[in-house]
């Protein structure tokens, strides 16, 4: 990107009030925010520790930190807070836990933990359906929290998911408090409630944050918007960057109307539009503008570029989903060898994961390296979840979810019957499973052998918890791993020793991560703080891995924000796929159109759509209609390639196969 353009400079230099940077795709909004941080420090004299910049994921926060460090020397950046919303919320809470009714050893529950708790509560009235209902009920509670809905507010008189959730919402909150645990949404909701109930605490944070900058504000939900509003008060000295056309997080409570709320809550809001795109060709931008013009808008904008007009947008018509996968891969390979590009230059985007199976098969058969974005993250690995559960339990003895995960890992022969009796005793005591297991009255429920076997583990755990409160956190973790003989257990239970070694390496990487956090953390370096920080990192890192090398990128349209590629294929351009069949009301179609817009604006040089005439759905072969979005694109800029054009098709596939043969020969020679 060249030096800042006039509109970008205006956004950087405006500090007299609230500012909305209405930033189109590829218009350099992150560059503007980082330049503004540097300008506030270097030219306007704001102390770094009075500046806070917030975004929505760890990857974006890391990129922002790197860019700011490049603009200023490291000394000038010390004290600047650049984090996610949830990390900011955690920081606020860790300084005010007493006010919200928690101790410093609280646990952070991920979606799996929350669902387990919801299922436990549902079993009282829905014993047979609890596990099936848990996910939807947990989503409904999460939805309410994002919208600041309190437990007593929802309806409670039917058997719909919404009303079943209403019946247990308050119990869910009470149980979380009893477990000294918070779910992911609480990291925003509880700071909001804290500031509403304790004005003095809010005043401290307002003195701390003199200038607030927020990226991707179109993704903010009602709770996050309220947090910003509380922190800013009447001062309103903030900058937010947003693009309502890239608001694709409705499931997370985000809505384009948030920008209208921003205008209402900050009446003197200044709007600066960034419409020059530095990424895509003119033809790709023309297609994007034409598509998104069919949506309603809070603010109008039109992307433009001084790059070349570019190649036509291609549309591949195929017979079936199998043919589509073959055709897309052949086109990709032919283009790669014709133009001497790398595999990493290509991305194949799709609406949902069900579309990727055939692509993976074809890519594997043709030995084409690919990277599937959104696969299981480091923190989803079984061994990492095991050790994280141990760490949570060391910090929070009330964490029953963690207790149940580790009780037989490594195997201790604690039977389901023993755990059932232990759970009954814990309920009578009103205590956690760990505390109940140490109670002398346990023998009323268990045989001497059962109780002895359980207490060998729980007494060791109690001693380790005591050690964790006194000694260096990293030493405690290393001693715990040694006591568990976890490495020996991996060797005994894994069929392949290389797999066991890799799992142990992952655990050592986790310990190293804790060590780095300990060296980075200011103030008290307790195990509780380290584990809370690492738990949050795990929640935010999921599905955020980068392409590790020269691989074709496969990803859903939802996961493409912040990405760009020279050459993009968007497959499945059919009604009921894009737009998706469950999202066909007016509001839903607008979000689906934004998804397509985001996909289009990932492309820098070439853009190709594909669609199939027939596709398998629910075990049947059904006829497919082209997506309405294709008809909304400028038709003069589309090149339709019909599958019935046999000569062209055979020519392309033949050349593609020829180049594939060369590729295989090269790969074989390298091996």
């Amino acid at each position: 990107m060249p030096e800042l353009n006039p509109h970008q400079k205006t956004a950087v230099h405006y500090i007299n009030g609230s500012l909305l940077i209405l930033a189109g795709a590829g218009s350099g909004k992150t560059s503007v925010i980082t330049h503004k941080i540097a300008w506030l420090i270097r030219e306007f004299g704001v102390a770094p520790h009075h500046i806070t910049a917030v975004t929505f994921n760890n990857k974006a926060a890391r990129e922002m930190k790197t860019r700011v460090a490049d603009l200023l020397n490291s000394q000038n950046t010390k004290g600047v807070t650049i984090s996610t919303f949830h990390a900011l919320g955690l920081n606020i809470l860790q300084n005010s836990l007493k006010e919200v009714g928690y101790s410093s050893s609280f646990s952070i529950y991920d979606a799996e933990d929350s669902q387990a708790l919801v299922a436990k509560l549902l079993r009282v009235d829905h014993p047979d359906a609890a596990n099936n209902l848990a996910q939807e009920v947990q989503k409904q509670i999460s939805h309410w929290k994002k919208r600041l809905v309190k437990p007593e507010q929802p309806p409670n008189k039917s058997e719909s998911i919404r009303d079943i959730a209403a019946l247990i919402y308050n119990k869910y909150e009470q149980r979380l408090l009893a477990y000294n645990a918070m779910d992911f949404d609480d990291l925003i909701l509880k700071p909001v409630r804290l500031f509403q109930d304790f004005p003095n605490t809010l005043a401290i944070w307002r003195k701390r944050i003199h200038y607030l900058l927020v990226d991707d504000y179109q993704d903010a939900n009602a709770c996050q918007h309220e947090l910003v509003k509380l922190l800013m008060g009447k001062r309103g000295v903030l900058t937010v960057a947003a693009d309502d056309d890239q608001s694709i997080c409705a499931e997370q409570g985000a809505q384009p109307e948030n920008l209208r709320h921003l205008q209402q809550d900050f009446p003197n809001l200044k709007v600066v539009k960034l419409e020059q795109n530095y990424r895509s060709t003119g033809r790709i931008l023309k297609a994007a503008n034409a598509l998104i013009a069919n949506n309603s808008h809070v603010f109008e904008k039109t992307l433009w570029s001084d790059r070349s007009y570019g190649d036509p947008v291609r549309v591949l018509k195929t017979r079936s989903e199998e043919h589509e996968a073959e055709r897309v891969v052949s086109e990709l390979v032919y283009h790669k060898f014709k133009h001497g590009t790398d595999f990493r230059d290509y991305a194949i985007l799709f609406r949902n994961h069900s579309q990727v199976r055939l692509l993976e098969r074809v890519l594997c058969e043709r030995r084409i390296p690919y990277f599937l974005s959104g696969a299981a993250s480091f923190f989803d690995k079984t061994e990492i979840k095991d050790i994280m559960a141990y760490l949570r339990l060391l910090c929070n003895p009330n964490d029953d979810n963690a207790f149940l995960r580790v009780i037989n890992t490594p195997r201790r022969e604690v039977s389901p019957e023993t755990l059932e009796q232990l759970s009954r005793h814990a309920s009578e005591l009103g205590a956690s499973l760990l505390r109940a297991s140490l109670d002398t009255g346990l023998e009323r429920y268990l045989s001497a052998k059962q109780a002895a076997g359980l207490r060998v583990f729980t007494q060791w755990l109690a001693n380790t918890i005591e050690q964790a409160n006194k000694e260096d956190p990293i030493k405690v973790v290393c001693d715990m791993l040694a006591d568990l003989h976890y490495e020996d257990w991996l060797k005994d239970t894994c069929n392949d020793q290389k797999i066991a070694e890799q799992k142990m390496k992952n655990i050592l990487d986790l310990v190293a991560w804790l060590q780095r956090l300990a060296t980075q953390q200011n103030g008290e370096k307790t195990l509780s703080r380290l584990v809370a920080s690492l738990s949050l990192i795990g929640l935010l890192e999921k599905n955020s891995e980068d392409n590790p090398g020269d691989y074709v990128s496969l990803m859903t349209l939802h996961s493409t924000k912040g990405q760009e590629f020279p050459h993009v294929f968007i497959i499945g351009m059919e009604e009921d796929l894009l737009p998706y069949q469950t999202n066909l009301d007016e509001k839903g179609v607008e979000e689906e159109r934004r998804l397509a817009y985001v996909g289009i604006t990932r492309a820098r040089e070439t853009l190709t759509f594909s669609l199939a005439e027939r596709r398998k759905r629910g075990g049947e072969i059904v006829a497919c209609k082209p997506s309405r979005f294709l008809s909304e694109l400028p038709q003069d800029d589309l090149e339709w390639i019909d599958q019935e054009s046999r000569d062209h098709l055979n020519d392309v596939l033949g050349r593609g196969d020829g180049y594939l043969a060369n590729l295989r020969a090269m790969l074989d020679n390298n091996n």
Side-chain angles (χ1 to χ4, degrees):
M1 211 184 118
E3 287 298 312
L4 299 179
N5 65 41
H7 294 285
Q8 292 171 328
K9 287 180 180 177
T10 298
V12 167
H13 296 157
Y14 183 78
I15 59 167
N16 294 326
S18 52
L19 171 69
L20 167 61
I21 304 170
L22 192 68
S27 63
K29 66 178 174 59
T30 303
S31 184
V32 171
I33 289 178
T34 53
H35 273 80
K36 187 158 192 171
I37 294 171
W39 191 83
L40 284 166
I41 295 170
R42 189 171 51 211
E43 305 296 335
F44 201 69
V46 179
H49 64 274
H50 286 315
I51 298 173
T52 295
V54 181
T55 187
F56 285 81
N57 61 68
N58 282 338
K59 182 180 177 181
R62 287 194 295 266
E63 180 185 356
M64 200 179 291
K65 287 178 184 177
T66 300
R67 291 202 193 186
V68 171
D70 288 342
L71 292 168
L72 295 166
N73 63 56
S74 58
Q75 188 63 37
N76 282 344
T77 61
K78 285 183 179 178
V80 177
T81 298
I82 300 177
S83 73
T84 63
F85 259 109
H86 290 86
L88 175 62
L90 177 61
N91 191 18
I92 292 168
L93 289 172
Q94 284 181 326
N95 291 282
S96 302
L97 286 167
K98 185 177 180 182
E99 288 87 342
V100 294
Y102 281 75
S103 72
S104 61
S105 58
F106 69 92
S107 298
I108 301 174
Y109 277 14
D110 62 12
E112 184 180 328
D113 293 317
S114 295
Q115 285 175 34
L117 176 54
V118 166
K120 182 176 182 179
L121 295 170
L122 285 170
R123 287 189 192 104
V124 176
D125 296 315
H126 303 83
D128 297 328
N131 291 334
N132 294 331
L133 292 171
Q135 184 176 13
E136 289 304 313
V137 170
Q138 186 262 334
K139 282 184 178 179
Q140 180 61 62
I141 292 173
S142 175
H143 174 86
W144 280 327
K145 288 191 173 189
K146 290 179 175 73
R147 285 162 175 74
L148 297 163
V149 178
K150 295 181 179 179
E152 63 269 18
Q153 290 176 250
N156 58 1
K157 285 186 180 177
S158 85
E159 290 299 305
S160 69
I161 289 292
R162 179 184 176 89
D163 297 320
I164 292 171
L167 288 170
I168 70 161
Y169 188 3
N170 195 53
K171 296 174 185 176
Y172 173 78
E173 291 293 275
Q174 291 172 351
R175 196 63 63 91
L176 281 177
L177 186 61
Y179 290 170
N180 197 33
M182 301 182 197
D183 64 25
F184 192 53
D185 297 308
D186 286 331
L187 296 179
I188 307 296
L189 179 60
K190 290 194 182 298
V192 168
R193 301 297 187 211
L194 171 71
F195 288 159
Q196 290 172 337
D197 296 339
F198 295 91
N200 291 339
T201 303
L202 175 57
I204 291 170
W205 278 92
R206 284 180 175 174
K207 287 180 181 178
R208 185 176 301 182
I209 300 176
H210 289 188
Y211 208 98
L212 179 65
L213 305 98
V214 186
D215 196 8
D216 282 327
Y217 204 76
Q218 75 279 349
D219 292 338
N221 57 45
C223 197
Q224 288 162 330
H225 177 75
E226 187 66 22
L227 181 61
V228 169
K229 192 167 70 169
L230 285 165
L231 284 169
M232 289 298 93
K234 294 181 179 179
R235 296 172 301 156
V237 282
L238 82 155
T239 292
V240 303
D243 181 5
D244 51 349
D245 292 331
Q246 295 189 71
S247 180
I248 57 173
C249 300
E251 284 195 1
Q252 301 303 317
Q255 297 174 324
E257 303 90 83
N258 286 337
L259 301 189
R260 187 175 290 113
H261 298 153
L262 191 71
Q263 200 171 32
Q264 293 166 354
D265 291 324
F266 299 96
N268 297 321
L269 183 74
K270 179 180 176 66
V271 179
V272 174
K273 296 182 182 181
L274 303 184
E275 297 173 294
Q276 182 175 359
N277 175 285
Y278 294 93
R279 176 187 300 161
S280 305
T281 64
R283 201 187 299 259
I284 290 171
L285 294 181
K286 182 180 175 184
N289 287 330
L291 177 70
I292 207 64
N294 293 279
N295 273 10
S296 57
H297 289 86
V298 179
F299 301 99
E300 296 294 336
K301 68 178 184 305
T302 302
L303 294 178
W304 63 274
S305 172
D306 58 9
R307 294 189 62 195
S308 66
Y309 195 54
D311 296 336
V313 175
R314 305 172 75 231
V315 184
L316 306 179
K317 294 177 67 177
T318 64
R319 296 186 296 274
S320 64
E321 54 196 323
E322 292 86 357
H323 183 214
E324 178 186 47
E326 294 278 355
R327 184 71 180 276
V328 165
V329 172
S330 291
E331 292 281 351
L332 185 155
V333 173
Y334 170 60
H335 188 278
K336 170 184 164 46
F337 283 97
K338 180 179 179 181
H339 297 279
T341 54
D342 296 321
F343 284 121
R344 66 167 61 89
D345 294 330
Y346 297 87
I348 305 176
L349 313 181
F350 41 88
R351 177 59 179 83
N352 62 46
H353 277 288
S354 65
Q355 295 171 260
V356 79
R357 179 180 56 82
L358 290 172
L359 276 173
E360 287 192 276
R361 190 192 73 190
V362 174
L363 290 165
C364 287
E365 287 174 353
R366 302 195 181 190
R367 302 187 196 175
I368 296 172
Y370 68 90
F371 173 75
L372 178 59
S373 179
S377 78
F378 175 79
F379 289 90
D380 281 330
K381 297 180 186 297
T382 300
E383 64 273 16
I384 299 302
K385 291 182 79 72
D386 287 345
I387 301 306
M388 285 299 297
Y390 271 108
L391 297 180
R392 282 168 41 192
L393 199 52
L394 292 189
C395 300
N396 180 12
N398 294 320
D399 193 334
D400 282 358
N401 280 8
F403 181 91
L404 290 171
R405 182 174 187 95
V406 304
I407 185 65
N408 275 314
T409 308
R411 190 72 183 165
R412 298 184 179 90
E413 305 301 331
V414 178
S415 68
E417 293 75 18
T418 299
L419 290 174
E420 185 178 342
Q421 296 300 327
L422 174 62
S423 179
R424 181 182 300 178
H425 184 52
S427 296
E428 288 186 1
L429 289 176
S432 69
L433 295 175
L434 175 57
R435 297 191 189 284
S437 69
L438 298 170
D439 182 70
T440 55
L442 183 62
E443 278 78 0
R444 288 187 292 119
Y445 295 92
L446 301 178
S447 67
K449 182 179 179 181
Q450 286 176 313
L454 181 62
R455 285 215 175 97
V456 169
F457 167 65
T458 54
Q459 190 58 59
W460 166 82
L461 188 57
N463 293 338
T464 308
I465 290 171
E466 186 177 350
Q467 179 191 359
N469 293 327
K470 297 177 181 178
E471 298 184 10
D472 175 74
I474 306 304
K475 180 181 183 302
V476 170
V477 175
C478 293
D479 289 348
M480 180 193 77
L481 289 172
D483 289 345
L484 290 172
H485 301 289
Y486 198 86
E487 185 172 9
D488 294 336
W489 183 70
L490 288 174
K491 291 177 181 177
D492 291 340
T493 55
C494 291
N495 295 328
D496 189 326
Q497 289 306 298
K498 288 184 178 179
I499 294 176
E501 290 170 6
Q502 181 58 51
K503 286 178 178 288
M504 194 62 207
K505 181 182 179 298
N506 291 337
I507 292 169
L508 295 178
D509 287 344
L510 183 74
V511 176
W513 205 327
L514 276 172
Q515 179 71 64
R516 287 194 299 274
L517 282 175
T519 59
Q520 295 167 4
Q521 206 170 78
N522 296 322
E524 190 181 11
K525 297 180 177 67
T526 64
L527 184 62
S528 295
R529 279 182 175 261
L530 294 177
V531 171
S533 297
L534 196 58
S535 296
L536 179 57
I537 289 170
L539 287 167
L540 293 170
E541 285 288 332
K542 290 185 178 182
N543 302 329
S544 66
E545 304 94 333
D546 289 324
N547 191 327
D550 191 21
Y551 299 85
V552 174
S553 290
L554 308 182
M555 58 180 64
T556 65
L557 288 163
H558 277 102
S559 63
T560 59
K561 282 176 64 175
Q563 305 277 351
E564 59 181 81
F565 304 90
H567 312 288
V568 168
F569 292 80
I570 302 178
I571 67 172
M573 287 296 291
E574 304 147 24
E575 289 292 299
D576 294 335
L577 259 183
L578 189 64
Y580 199 59
Q581 57 191 346
T582 59
N583 216 13
L584 295 180
D585 60 1
E586 183 179 353
K587 199 170 183 180
V589 167
E590 288 209 344
E591 167 130 345
E592 295 292 310
R593 189 176 285 113
R594 291 193 293 271
L595 263 179
Y597 172 86
V598 167
I600 290 170
T601 55
R602 300 311 94 191
R604 296 208 298 261
E605 298 172 21
T606 70
L607 174 65
T608 303
F609 297 108
S610 69
L611 65 154
E613 289 185 346
R614 298 178 301 280
R615 194 175 292 273
K616 184 179 290 186
R617 289 199 188 119
E620 296 183 0
I621 304 295
V622 298
C624 303
K625 295 180 180 179
S627 168
R628 69 190 74 184
F629 299 151
L630 289 173
S631 66
E632 295 172 357
L633 299 175
Q635 299 302 302
D636 290 346
D637 293 289
L638 299 185
E639 180 185 353
W640 289 78
I641 303 174
D642 198 305
Q643 59 92 7
E644 292 181 359
S645 301
R646 311 303 296 179
D647 293 340
H648 174 83
L649 176 62
N650 292 333
D651 183 43
V652 169
L653 290 176
R655 285 181 294 173
D657 288 339
Y659 283 112
L660 276 171
N662 292 336
L663 170 64
R664 290 193 188 101
M666 287 193 311
L667 289 172
D668 290 339
N669 290 336
N670 289 336
N671 292 333

